[in-house]
Amino acid sequence: MPHALIAPFETPSLPVTTGEETFEFISTPFKGNGVVGVRHEANRFLLKYVERDGKILVKADKTTRIPKLNMLKKAIIHFCELTGSEVFQTNTALNKKDREYANYKDLDFFLDGCDYAKPIWVEVGFGSGRHLLHNAKTNPDVIHIGLEIHKPSAEQVLKQCELQGIDNLYVVDFDARIFLEILPANSVQKIFVHFPVPWDKAPHRRVISKGFVDEAITVLEPGGTLELRTDSENYMVYSYGVFMDLASAELMVRKNHFLDVSSKYEDRWKKMNKNFYDLTLTNTLQSEPRTFEHDFSFEGFVPFETFADELSGKAIVESDYLIGAKERYPLGNGEGLLKITMGAFGTPQSLYLMFQNHTVSYYPKTPYPTGASLRAHSRLQAMLHGTDNG
Ligand SMILES: C[S@@+](CC[C@H](N)C(=O)[O-])C[C@H]1O[C@@H](n2cnc3c(N)ncnc32)[C@H](O)[C@@H]1O
């Protein structure tokens, strides 16, 4: 990742606007570390500075997603220029062009912009993408949404879409377990989960869970299917249990059934003569429409340090949401940024609370409107109002 190693610097006075971005604020060093707020056109993100053996490493903050590599590199270069510090080492040479993929979509697109009138298929954890690309080519009237948290795999499939002129496939590099929560009810025909990581020693990390299956049932249209394919007998038995815990279920079980296309994993396991299991769950319910109306604003203000101390002192873990405080970045005069995690256990979202100008807001943007993040927001609001009895 782009970074620069520079000499220690005097904290510059901000805001400062360069030709391309505005450096809006810088936190006072806390245990040698801090953040710098950057605005570039409509994007807001943070740079981090970290003390390393008497030098300062300037790099990206991973929580605030930075859409383009050159945007990040320029922010690092311009920030180093602003400090006037000696640069010992850097890897911020600009790329000729930032790659922009038409098939790449962020979550906002699915909240406001996706055409749900067309049939939709979703593939979770597509890896090499063979099955996803095959489906997109052989079913051109369907919109295919591929979810993959491994960025190099996502980029490979984006390149293939460009090379093969595929325009009915959207690639999203986001956790599928949160993603399903932002899709409209009854909008999806098929969900594929092929060869998920078994996580035998950490079952809470599995894609298939009660929460995921409940979400799948909500977004699947009546007659729509959730298809699990695995080589792990253990995962198959576990998933069978999760499906059978539903109030009603229509399930097809198959062993060693072969598909038109075989993934890289599948090829490897075929050579080892492993067994393959397919569990196909058919949704029989028409779900209530989902409303995505939400208000993530805050009323009330508590000085930054007071609130950060209160939240750091108690991790909030309820049965259906959690809130935890992480790093804090003071800006002085009772202002600051507090990194928090909030949302569902197993899939919390990380973001910042900004305490500035006697208001509190999310930075750089509000959480995704899942049920758990809305419940966590209400709790934070009660804490800010001084009406929290938890
Ligand atoms: C074992 S690989 C299987 C890949 C592919 N389906 C195949 O059959 O070759 C599992 C993939 O799921 C992805 N993955 C794991 N958890 C995920 C999640 N919560 N959301 C999206 N992708 C996920 C991993 O990055 C990995 O690429």
Side-chain angles (χ1 to χ4, degrees):
M1 279 301 276
H3 62 266
L5 194 62
I6 64 176
F9 53 83
E10 292 284 319
T11 306
S13 168
L14 299 182
V16 166
T17 299
T18 67
E20 308 199 52
E21 65 280 283
T22 299
F23 294 102
E24 296 185 307
F25 56 82
I26 180 165
S27 66
T28 34
F30 186 72
K31 298 180 182 163
N33 301 338
V35 290
V36 184
V38 187
R39 181 187 284 278
H40 188 129
E41 293 160 3
N43 304 290
R44 289 198 300 173
F45 59 90
L46 294 177
L47 296 182
K48 260 188 166 172
Y49 65 92
V50 182
E51 197 189 312
R52 282 264 171 90
D53 304 325
K55 294 175 181 157
I56 306 289
L57 184 69
V58 182
K59 58 180 186 173
D61 166 60
K62 287 193 186 139
T63 303
T64 51
R65 290 180 153 220
I66 304 171
K68 293 179 188 164
L69 212 52
N70 275 350
M71 194 184 284
L72 166 62
K73 289 179 174 180
K74 283 180 191 169
I76 293 176
I77 295 168
H78 295 154
F79 178 72
C80 294
E81 286 170 5
L82 184 71
T83 63
S85 270
E86 182 181 351
V87 178
F88 301 113
Q89 192 245 317
T90 182
N91 62 351
T92 50
L94 297 182
N95 302 342
K96 273 195 197 115
K97 206 168 159 251
D98 258 329
R99 289 206 73 147
E100 277 186 60
Y101 296 103
N103 303 70
Y104 176 82
K105 299 291 175 201
D106 64 16
L107 263 59
D108 292 338
F109 171 79
F110 296 96
L111 286 167
D112 179 22
C114 183
D115 177 6
Y116 290 106
K118 293 195 172 169
I120 293 182
W121 296 5
V122 174
E123 180 157 342
V124 173
F126 55 73
S128 63
R130 281 192 202 168
H131 180 260
L132 176 66
L133 290 161
H134 170 84
N135 273 350
K137 285 185 284 187
T138 49
N139 298 275
D141 299 329
V142 172
I143 290 183
H144 302 263
I145 302 174
L147 301 161
E148 179 49 72
I149 49 174
H150 183 241
K151 285 183 194 293
S153 300
E155 181 140 12
Q156 279 306 110
V157 169
L158 285 165
K159 283 183 186 155
Q160 283 304 317
C161 290
E162 241 175 35
L163 282 170
Q164 301 184 43
I166 297 172
D167 60 5
N168 59 328
L169 194 170
Y170 300 141
V171 171
V172 190
D173 59 346
F174 207 83
D175 190 326
R177 297 170 298 172
I178 298 180
F179 181 80
L180 287 195
E181 283 206 51
I182 65 152
L183 290 181
N186 314 302
S187 63
V188 176
Q189 277 187 350
K190 290 173 192 274
I191 302 174
F192 302 97
V193 183
H194 284 191
F195 302 101
V197 183
W199 289 116
D200 285 335
K201 292 199 175 128
H204 66 279
R205 299 187 70 173
R206 289 177 174 155
V207 168
I208 301 284
S209 67
K210 177 181 173 354
F212 180 84
V213 174
D214 286 346
E215 288 306 324
I217 293 292
T218 305
V219 301
L220 282 171
E221 59 184 41
T225 53
L226 167 60
E227 181 182 304
L228 166 71
R229 186 165 173 78
T230 179
D231 62 299
S232 159
E233 190 173 344
N234 195 15
Y235 202 103
M236 185 269 289
V237 170
Y238 156 82
S239 302
Y240 181 84
V242 176
F243 295 153
M244 280 301 139
D245 267 351
L246 289 166
S248 68
E250 198 179 303
L251 192 61
M252 181 171 68
V253 184
R254 287 193 287 201
K255 185 175 172 184
N256 293 334
H257 166 76
F258 294 105
L259 306 176
D260 293 344
V261 60
S262 176
S263 78
K264 273 190 187 166
Y265 281 89
E266 194 164 335
D267 279 350
R268 197 180 308 155
W269 290 320
K270 270 182 191 153
K271 280 188 197 137
M272 293 161 71
N273 285 326
K274 285 186 112 184
N275 289 320
F276 297 100
Y277 307 95
D278 289 291
L279 295 188
T280 305
L281 178 73
T282 302
N283 173 39
T284 53
L285 304 174
Q286 174 83 30
S287 296
E288 289 293 313
R290 271 176 163 164
T291 62
F292 290 102
E293 275 170 33
H294 57 272
D295 178 4
F296 277 121
S297 63
F298 287 111
E299 278 173 24
F301 182 79
V302 173
F304 168 66
E305 294 290 355
T306 313
F307 190 84
D309 283 347
E310 187 185 347
L311 195 57
S312 306
K314 59 170 180 192
I316 299 174
V317 184
E318 301 293 348
S319 59
D320 50 0
Y321 71 89
L322 60 79
I323 308 171
K326 301 185 96 181
E327 295 91 39
R328 59 175 81 181
Y329 298 103
L331 299 173
N333 301 322
E335 299 187 339
L337 271 178
L338 178 65
K339 185 169 170 180
I340 59 164
T341 52
M342 63 187 279
F345 181 77
T347 55
Q349 304 176 45
S350 288
L351 70 173
Y352 292 88
L353 285 178
M354 168 70 99
F355 294 71
Q356 206 174 32
N357 301 326
H358 281 264
T359 55
V360 182
S361 55
Y362 291 102
Y363 181 95
K365 52 196 234 179
T366 53
Y368 294 109
T370 64
S373 64
L374 284 161
R375 287 187 286 277
H377 173 77
S378 299
R379 183 73 178 268
L380 286 167
Q381 174 62 85
M383 288 175 73
L384 279 166
H385 253 160
T387 52
D388 179 40
N389 304 317

